[in-house]
Amino acid sequence: MIEFILDSDVGSDADDIMALAYLANMQKKGVLTVKAVTHSQTAKDGPALIRSFFRTVGLDVPEVGTMVGGTPFTDYYCEKTCKVFATEEDYAPCDTAVRVLRRAL
């Protein structure tokens, strides 16, 4: 089975959610497993959106890592989507992207 790692900047557009949807579909078909997802921007709801996506489509939530530094900001898309789909658990602290990638690799 292929193990897949995605570096994502989930935020103000839909391209990363489309990538997650494609990967989720391939995982459900048994083609691959999403091992980790990193979030490479500082949108404060980004990691929760990634986690809630996997939970909502009925898959195990992979490890999610975030970037270090930068100024956190509110992304309209992430915030509005999380208000509908995210749970408190989706907002659990994430490890850094570097640590998540090292473990995944």
Side-chain angles (χ1 to χ4, degrees):
M1 169 102 41
I2 297 168
E3 292 182 330
F4 203 92
I5 300 167
L6 177 68
D7 179 50
S8 165
D9 64 347
V10 165
S12 62
D13 53 29
D15 64 322
D16 293 280
I17 292 299
M18 292 301 295
L20 289 174
Y22 176 79
L23 294 173
N25 187 44
M26 292 294 104
Q27 183 164 324
K28 287 183 175 187
K29 290 182 178 184
V31 174
L32 58 81
T33 300
V34 179
K35 191 166 186 178
V37 179
T38 58
H39 186 245
S40 58
Q41 67 156 293
T42 58
K44 65 180 184 173
D45 295 307
L49 178 56
I50 294 166
R51 288 174 170 155
S52 68
F53 172 85
F54 281 96
R55 193 181 37 70
T56 300
V57 300
L59 292 172
D60 290 338
V61 177
E63 189 169 15
V64 177
T66 60
M67 68 177 275
V68 176
T71 303
F73 68 96
T74 299
D75 179 273
Y76 177 84
Y77 173 76
C78 290
E79 181 183 49
K80 297 299 180 192
T81 306
C82 283
K83 282 186 179 182
V84 174
F85 295 102
T87 66
E88 187 176 321
E89 184 179 341
D90 295 325
Y91 281 95
C94 294
D95 206 347
T96 68
V98 171
R99 287 185 182 141
V100 168
L101 289 172
R102 284 181 178 159
R103 283 193 295 270
L105 294 170

